[in-house]
Amino acid sequence: MQVPVDDSLVWAGNTADVRGLAIGTDGLVVLHEDNVEGVSPDGRSLWTAQLPAAPVRWGIALTSKQCVATLSDGHVVCLGAAEE
């Protein structure tokens, strides 16, 4: 069996603080120890948002337009694009 070595393998090595992730149609949303990050299919960071408290493990969900994260202090935050 041959294991592919590409940029996604490099990205996976930098994920020690990942608490969860959700797969969207145009990339991933990654839940870290203190923030949420949007990642493109090729591994580029598209955006980050600080969280007011640490998230619970796998406490992330996507709707059609928002990202919802559950925090360890009991709060739930909803992130979405700014309205025009």
Side-chain angles (χ1 to χ4, degrees), residues 8-36:
S8 62
L9 198 58
V10 173
W11 181 83
N14 297 326
T15 58
D17 73 335
V18 171
R19 300 252 175 141
L21 58 88
I23 300 171
T25 58
D26 55 356
L28 299 173
V29 179
V30 182
L31 193 58
H32 293 282
E33 291 179 356
D34 62 355
N35 66 42
V36 178

Side-chain angles (χ1 to χ4, degrees), residues 4-6 8 11 18 26 30 32 37 40 45 48 55 60 77 79-81:
V5 178
D6 60 13
S8 62
W11 181 83
V18 171
D26 55 356
V30 182
H32 293 282
E37 177 185 22
S40 71
S45 179
T48 59
I60 189 165
V77 294
L79 306 166

